[in-house]
Amino acid sequence: MSFKKYLMEDEEVLSYCGTDYWIWVCTDRRVMKYRQGSGTAEQLHDISYEEITSISLVNTGRDDKLGGYAVFSLVLGGIASVWGSSAVPFALAGVITAYLLWRWRNSEHSYFEFKGSGVINSDEEEWRIDNKNADNPDEIREFTKTVRSQL
């Protein structure tokens, strides 16, 4: 793993996990997030344990706008069918409604968020590990447990 070249000489990796975009690394001194970009571009961010005060699991809930759009689509399709004396608009609205309801049902997700001082406060979204982008959600839970044990 390419992040190893950024470790200090006697720094020990305790845990790591991956998402679509980042490799998160917990060492005996800090938390790092590393990304290999296209070509030779790399990104690395790190924070010391002194800057982290807590880790929260945040659940976003479902996006109720999608459910509202689904109902609106079905009603609009029904009105268009009655007005035009054809079942085609209602059938099309049914397909759109089914898709929107599926999106609504799957819109809920959660993420772990590091809270604290310094750089964490300046860019809170930078220090979130989103479960829906996880290579392995169990790995993320174990990673956050390891970080908590270092606080």
Side-chain angles (χ1 to χ4, degrees):
M1 291 181 198
S2 299
F3 70 82
K4 289 184 178 180
K5 63 185 171 189
Y6 295 104
L7 296 174
M8 292 180 249
E9 191 172 307
D10 57 345
E11 191 171 16
E12 179 186 351
V13 173
L14 304 175
S15 180
Y16 64 90
C17 65
T19 65
D20 287 350
Y21 306 107
W22 296 97
I23 296 173
W24 291 79
V25 182
C26 169
T27 74
D28 56 345
R29 297 182 183 180
R30 60 189 168 150
V31 174
M32 301 168 32
K33 56 187 283 193
Y34 171 82
R35 174 168 55 188
Q36 175 73 46
S38 60
T40 59
E42 294 177 294
Q43 289 185 328
L44 175 75
H45 303 281
D46 71 340
I47 52 174
S48 65
Y49 291 113
E50 289 80 30
E51 292 181 73
I52 303 170
T53 56
S54 65
I55 303 171
S56 298
L57 175 60
V58 179
N59 189 323
T60 63
R62 289 195 172 117
D63 185 354
D64 289 334
K65 288 187 292 186
L66 290 170
Y69 293 148
V71 171
F72 178 74
S73 171
L74 195 58
V75 168
L76 193 60
I79 291 170
S81 291
V82 170
W83 194 0
S85 298
S86 171
V88 173
F90 190 69
L92 181 59
V95 170
I96 293 170
T97 299
Y99 171 73
L100 289 169
L101 287 173
W102 175 81
R103 290 278 316 266
W104 170 78
R105 189 172 183 330
N106 294 301
S107 65
E108 184 175 32
H109 73 280
S110 60
Y111 57 86
F112 287 97
E113 181 175 60
F114 292 91
K115 297 191 182 257
S117 61
V119 72
I120 294 175
N121 281 338
S122 64
D123 194 0
E124 291 178 355
E125 288 188 21
E126 187 74 27
W127 293 99
R128 291 180 182 169
I129 307 176
D130 198 329
N131 283 338
K132 79 176 179 185
N133 296 328
D135 296 340
N136 180 351
D138 292 333
E139 200 174 73
I140 289 178
R141 279 189 287 282
E142 289 305 313
F143 173 80
T144 57
K145 284 181 188 177
T146 304
V147 172
R148 279 189 184 111
S149 72
Q150 298 299 304
L151 299 181

